[in-house]
Amino acid sequence: MESKEQVPLTLHLDIPESVAASLKLPDPEVEPCLRSELAVALYAQGILSIGKACDLAGSSRYAFADLVTRPRHPRHYADADLTLDLEYARGQ
């Protein structure tokens, strides 16, 4: 059997300008934050092993374990959001 050499795959993710402009992070923190968040999400769904998730996040296993155990995803839902949702539900 012939052994096929694996070719490294590099992916680039295009973030819409409107989303990038809305990020509440200093420019140098954007890529590391997005990589960490993606790694945690893929690990949590069982798509990546912890080792590969650490690679993606660019962190040690200890630092990644800390990321995984942090309280996640607080809701940012104000009264104005509720009003808009109720208007939408009423067809207004």
Side-chain angles (χ1 to χ4, degrees):
M1 249 198 283
E2 288 184 37
S3 173
K4 292 191 177 188
E5 191 175 317
Q6 287 189 336
V7 178
L9 176 64
T10 300
L11 298 175
H12 296 275
L13 181 62
D14 292 324
I15 306 295
E17 187 64 36
S18 63
V19 173
S22 296
L23 293 172
K24 298 174 183 173
L25 294 169
D27 287 345
E29 293 179 26
V30 170
E31 184 178 345
C33 179
L34 293 178
R35 291 173 67 94
S36 293
E37 289 296 322
L38 179 59
V40 168
L42 294 176
Y43 172 73
Q45 294 175 56
I47 296 171
L48 278 182
S49 68
I50 192 166
K52 293 300 178 187
C54 291
D55 290 346
L56 177 58
S59 65
S60 69
R61 286 185 186 243
Y62 295 111
F64 188 75
D66 183 52
L67 284 174
V68 172
T69 58
R70 286 184 189 165
R72 308 294 294 173
H73 310 292
R75 298 292 299 199
H76 302 284
Y77 194 78
D79 291 341
D81 298 315
L82 176 60
T83 301
L84 288 172
D85 286 346
L86 289 172
E87 288 173 0
Y88 177 78
R90 292 181 185 127
Q92 299 174 356

